[in-house]
Amino acid sequence: MSETDLKTLLPDYKILRFQLLIKEQNLYHVEVELTDKQDTISLCHELEKSKDIVWAEPDFVTRISALNPPAPVYPDDPDIDEQWHLERVGAPIAWSLPGGQGDKNVMIAVLDSGIQLTGDDMDATLSHPDLMSDRIVLEHNYNSYPPPPPTNPPTPIPPHNVNDKIGHGTHVTGILGATTDNAVGVAGINWNSPIHIYKVFETGVDGSVKAFALGVASALNHALAARENVVINYSGGTPDPSAAMQLACRHINDFNQNNLGKSQAVLCAASGNGDLSGLAVTPPVYPANYALQFPGSVVCVGSIDETDTVSDFSNYGPAVTVVAPGRDILSTIIGSSYGLMTGTSMATPIVSGIVSLIWSNNKALSAAKVIQILKDRAVVVQAVSVPDSHWGYGMVSALWSDLYYPIRLSIQEGRLPGYEVALHVERIN
């Protein structure tokens, strides 16, 4: 076909360019100047009326098949460079995504040893410089929620101050929600969501199943009343199965099924630190082990080291959902200071924080869907088939969005060096 032939077919169009692209396939490109009453689709239809034209289509716009990762967000907390876990799970990238810094309508419940306060009376206030935030709610009398029926004379409520005596709960809370971008100390995973503090370990490191059950019930009641989703963080457990803990987990599961569209809950629980010998299978403690029975409501969290290996202390078995950094994690400690702690107790709030960010991005997700996202986005650093008894579905990732899924693959496969630099994961060759 010649340009003259084409002009004969299109007497009403002004042809600006006529070019043969592939001679062997009779493929041509035509550039036409259109009037206000003409359009490209009509032009194609006009051409296809000719017996000499097999087909005609617009010169479609094409785009480069690459993602430009958002710029990581680095807050001004001076000790953030020592928080190796934040980079490892992709938190600086997540903080730049929609909802990635946390939403005020997503609740976090920390069931632990409490938090640093000024004293032991019921008027005690927050006193750690990196945890003095109005988004931290002290549940001093959670064991009276919902309120008991009135009595005559009234029955006094026993004091239940949440002052932390051992530092564990203060450390866990700092991992989750230390005040971030305040030029003080460390950064928390979640910057904005309210954190409710429940003291369930009352005598040193020891707590009770009763306290756990009461904390779960109170957290769910608060969440439903506010029509919010809630992440329950429990960095403790018992090696023995407990019917009461099982019922508490069933309560969470039933809560999720009965309140879709209103409120949802995920329990993130530590797998435990019993596998110190590394010689025998030490199954996850309870309630984490109930992730097998309630996989859409309970997450069992194991620990990895900075060397991308499962920690030698981390309990393992088929209940493990994901692993997270758990050795030498820098966070807040009592005494208004900062320190390193190690254990699945430290890995668990990292996962809880990521769950809270997923919900901050999309509050409509069911608990089961959120847990599925954790599994789907987990990074398998070692050559294992998932689910693996040590790794679960892999190392948790804060990059939950489908849009940034290829970035997660770059961490796993090490094939996209530009993305590696953007994510600060040059450690993978």
Side-chain angles (χ1 to χ4, degrees):
M1 177 175 285
S2 66
E3 186 171 353
T4 302
D5 296 330
L6 184 66
K7 289 181 177 179
T8 302
L9 293 174
L10 297 172
D12 298 328
Y13 291 86
K14 181 179 180 181
I15 298 174
L16 301 179
R17 186 188 302 271
F18 179 77
Q19 184 179 7
L20 176 62
L21 301 181
I22 302 177
K23 179 179 179 181
E24 293 81 0
Q25 300 296 330
N26 295 316
L27 179 63
Y28 295 85
H29 182 265
V30 182
E31 186 177 343
V32 177
E33 182 178 310
L34 299 175
T35 66
D36 293 340
K37 296 181 180 181
Q38 296 171 333
D39 61 81
T40 304
I41 299 299
S42 298
L43 170 60
C44 292
H45 291 325
E46 190 72 22
L47 285 168
E48 288 179 337
K49 292 178 181 178
S50 170
K51 63 180 178 59
D52 297 319
I53 305 293
V54 178
W55 54 260
E57 69 178 10
D59 186 7
F60 295 111
V61 174
T62 62
R63 290 187 173 89
I64 294 173
S65 296
L67 290 173
N68 294 319
V73 172
Y74 290 102
D76 61 8
D77 305 84
D79 295 330
I80 192 171
D81 289 343
E82 298 179 48
Q83 294 181 275
W84 70 271
H85 61 283
L86 294 175
E87 289 279 7
R88 195 59 53 90
V89 301
I93 294 290
W95 289 334
S96 69
L97 301 179
Q101 296 178 9
D103 188 274
K104 294 181 179 180
N105 295 316
V106 177
M107 173 182 164
I108 301 171
V110 180
L111 277 56
D112 214 289
S113 64
I115 192 170
Q116 177 183 316
L117 301 179
T118 54
D120 293 323
D121 57 49
M122 301 305 287
D123 295 325
T125 56
L126 297 163
S127 59
H128 195 290
D130 229 357
L131 295 172
M132 296 175 67
S133 170
D134 58 6
R135 70 187 180 107
I136 295 179
V137 181
L138 306 180
E139 298 289 353
H140 287 312
N141 285 313
Y142 76 91
N143 55 347
S144 67
Y145 190 93
T151 59
N152 191 13
T155 302
I157 298 174
H160 190 84
N161 180 280
V162 298
N163 190 22
D164 187 6
K165 299 294 188 180
I166 62 173
H168 189 274
T170 300
H171 197 271
V172 165
T173 304
I175 295 171
L176 264 166
T179 306
T180 305
D181 207 27
N182 64 339
V184 174
V186 297
I189 294 281
N190 186 305
W191 300 16
N192 296 312
S193 295
I195 301 175
H196 292 241
I197 305 297
Y198 294 84
K199 188 172 183 178
V200 299
F201 301 110
E202 301 182 24
T203 57
V205 298
D206 296 327
S208 68
V209 171
K210 165 197 154 185
F212 169 76
L214 283 170
V216 167
S218 175
L220 296 188
N221 286 336
H222 276 300
L224 184 59
R227 297 180 75 90
E228 296 175 350
N229 298 326
V230 58
V231 189
I232 303 173
N233 188 95
Y234 187 66
S235 292
T238 170
D240 302 310
S242 162
M245 275 189 165
Q246 184 182 35
L247 278 182
C249 293
R250 184 181 299 279
H251 181 46
I252 298 172
N253 198 67
D254 291 346
F255 177 90
N256 290 333
Q257 293 180 6
N258 296 333
N259 294 290
L260 281 170
K262 299 178 184 177
S263 182
Q264 294 284 281
V266 167
L267 169 65
C268 294
S271 70
N273 307 327
D275 192 41
L276 293 176
S277 67
L279 299 176
V281 175
T282 305
V285 296
Y286 297 89
N289 217 333
Y290 289 124
L292 279 174
Q293 187 175 356
F294 307 107
S297 299
V298 179
V299 174
C300 175
V301 182
S303 169
I304 62 167
D305 294 350
E306 197 168 357
T307 57
D308 287 332
T309 56
V310 175
S311 304
D312 56 6
F313 54 78
S314 187
N315 290 0
Y316 63 95
V320 175
T321 311
V322 290
V323 294
R327 190 184 292 277
D328 294 335
I329 304 301
L330 182 67
S331 183
T332 48
I333 58 174
I334 54 177
S336 297
S337 188
Y338 304 88
L340 302 175
M341 286 191 181
T342 291
T344 54
S345 287
M346 285 60 253
T348 302
I350 294 173
V351 176
S352 294
I354 290 172
V355 170
S356 72
L357 298 186
I358 295 172
W359 260 330
S360 296
N361 175 261
N362 186 350
K363 302 179 190 66
L365 295 174
S366 68
K369 178 60 177 176
V370 168
I371 294 175
Q372 190 60 51
I373 289 173
L374 285 182
K375 295 175 180 178
D376 291 344
R377 300 296 184 260
V379 179
V380 183
V381 181
Q382 303 289 348
V384 295
S385 298
V386 296
D388 176 76
S389 62
H390 289 80
W391 283 88
Y393 285 82
M395 182 188 71
V396 71
S397 169
L399 304 177
W400 64 84
S401 169
D402 287 337
L403 178 60
Y404 299 103
Y405 185 67
I407 301 175
R408 184 193 68 85
L409 289 180
S410 73
I411 303 175
Q412 180 175 344
E413 300 177 3
R415 294 177 181 171
L416 301 174
Y419 291 165
E420 287 183 3
V421 172
L423 289 171
H424 296 266
V425 290
E426 296 90 340
R427 59 192 171 79
I428 298 178
N429 294 325

